[in-house]
Amino acid sequence: MALRLRKLSIRVLLFWLCAVACGSAQAQESGPVRIVDALGRDVRIETSRRVLTLGSDVTEIVFALGAGDRIVAVDRGSRFPEAASSKHNVGYRRRLSAEGVLSLDPDLILAAEDIGPPEVVEVLKKIAIPMVLVPKQNTGEGIRRKIALIASALALEAEGRALAGDVLANFEKATKLTEAIPVEKRRKVVFFHGVERLTAAGAGTAADAIIRYAGGLNPMDRFEGYKAASEEDLIELAPDTILMMSNGRGGPTREEVFSNRALALTPAARTGSLIVLDGAT
């Protein structure tokens, strides 16, 4: 039977490891602040009463800082915490509509730096509404930077330091457990976006970080980003486990995955080893 785990990305995994108790931060907002975002842009923020968050990690951090009540809308991938589902949804963060964003009248946009499409991002950079782009880094230091940047944008620096301390402490505990696993006992794991195209996650992706931090080996890490994997590739890579994202309809099932000709030839197919992640896209 396929194992179903909650949370897709490494930032979701980290927040699952760390329960943060913060009170409402609505009343703590102060005057104008200036910060430098992931692209080195100097952003002046007058107020942050109506915040649009784009990116599951960005949304989670805002909630963990106790400022969830400031959020007026989120992207499709922001499914955690549960309260995020009650917010207006602007769709997939890489297929944004400028009109859809502006119609919500936010006074601050907090966004992962990989939002798109590029032409919409350029429009959003030029409007009067301040937009802070948050770095996409899947390391302990990257998590700290994200929290610090978002906390500064919301004028919640003290809360940010406390949150970062808790998250990094749990991150360190988790990584120490997996570091103790001998290399020869680590399973080779390949993450695919879907069964039909078999696009696999290579180095520098959130899926690669999940695999490494969980104590596995990603044989696709010889490539950067995502790459189509052929039948020949999979025979050579010989993954022990296939990692996939839930399709929202109860699948993909083990039968659907291993009926694929290429995947049927892998060691994972012989043992039926499939992990389906239910989380952000």
Side-chain angles (χ1 to χ4, degrees):
M1 182 179 294
L3 175 62
R4 297 192 169 274
L5 298 178
R6 199 168 182 273
K7 326 288 188 287
L8 173 63
S9 59
I10 185 62
R11 57 263 185 193
V12 182
L13 178 62
L14 294 176
F15 273 89
W16 176 68
L17 292 171
C18 174
V20 180
C22 292
S24 172
Q26 181 71 33
Q28 297 185 40
E29 183 193 3
S30 61
V33 296
R34 298 187 78 98
I35 60 174
V36 178
D37 74 357
L39 297 187
R41 299 162 56 246
D42 184 41
V43 182
R44 178 182 171 89
I45 302 168
E46 297 290 343
T47 182
S48 57
R49 293 188 178 90
R50 294 179 56 81
V51 181
L52 168 61
T53 58
L54 302 172
S56 58
D57 51 350
V58 176
T59 300
E60 291 171 39
I61 290 171
V62 174
F63 270 100
L65 288 168
D69 49 1
R70 301 192 200 179
I71 297 176
V72 295
V74 300
D75 69 298
R76 187 183 74 187
S78 293
R79 303 179 185 176
F80 183 81
E82 186 176 349
S85 63
S86 66
K87 305 293 184 178
H88 184 85
N89 190 313
V90 297
Y92 185 38
R93 71 178 186 276
R94 295 180 183 171
R95 296 175 187 165
L96 297 170
S97 159
E99 293 80 6
V101 169
L102 297 176
S103 68
L104 296 165
D105 192 29
D107 50 40
L108 173 62
I109 301 171
L110 294 174
E113 64 176 323
D114 65 348
I115 61 170
E119 58 270 22
V120 172
V121 176
E122 288 306 310
V123 171
L124 296 178
K125 286 179 180 177
K126 295 175 182 177
I127 61 178
I129 301 169
M131 179 172 67
V132 175
L133 295 174
V134 180
K136 299 288 290 183
Q137 296 179 338
N138 301 306
T139 64
E141 175 58 20
I143 294 293
R144 187 200 64 75
R145 287 188 61 204
K146 292 179 190 182
I147 294 173
L149 183 62
I150 293 171
S152 294
L154 299 174
L156 295 171
E157 288 86 352
E159 290 81 356
R161 288 190 292 272
L163 176 61
D166 287 341
V167 171
L168 293 179
N170 283 278
F171 180 86
E172 185 177 352
K173 290 178 183 177
T175 53
K176 281 184 177 179
L177 289 174
T178 58
E179 286 171 356
I181 302 173
V183 174
E184 63 272 14
K185 292 187 177 181
R186 299 188 180 215
R187 297 173 67 85
K188 290 190 288 185
V189 183
V190 176
F191 174 86
F192 292 106
H193 264 311
V195 179
E196 296 177 358
R197 296 188 179 182
L198 293 185
T199 302
T205 63
D208 176 65
I210 288 177
I211 293 168
R212 288 186 292 104
Y213 289 133
L217 300 173
N218 180 12
M220 284 294 293
D221 65 2
R222 68 185 74 174
F223 306 104
E224 285 288 332
Y226 284 86
K227 179 184 181 295
S230 66
E231 184 174 317
E232 292 76 16
D233 289 332
L234 289 170
I235 291 174
E236 179 186 355
L237 298 173
D240 301 303
T241 297
I242 302 301
L243 186 63
M244 301 191 81
M245 179 178 69
S246 170
N247 60 17
R249 303 184 300 275
T253 64
R254 186 172 56 183
E255 291 72 22
E256 290 170 337
V257 171
F258 295 121
S259 63
N260 181 287
R261 176 184 169 90
L263 294 177
L265 301 173
T266 64
R270 291 195 288 273
T271 61
S273 184
L274 170 69
I275 297 175
V276 178
L277 299 172
D278 180 16
T281 57

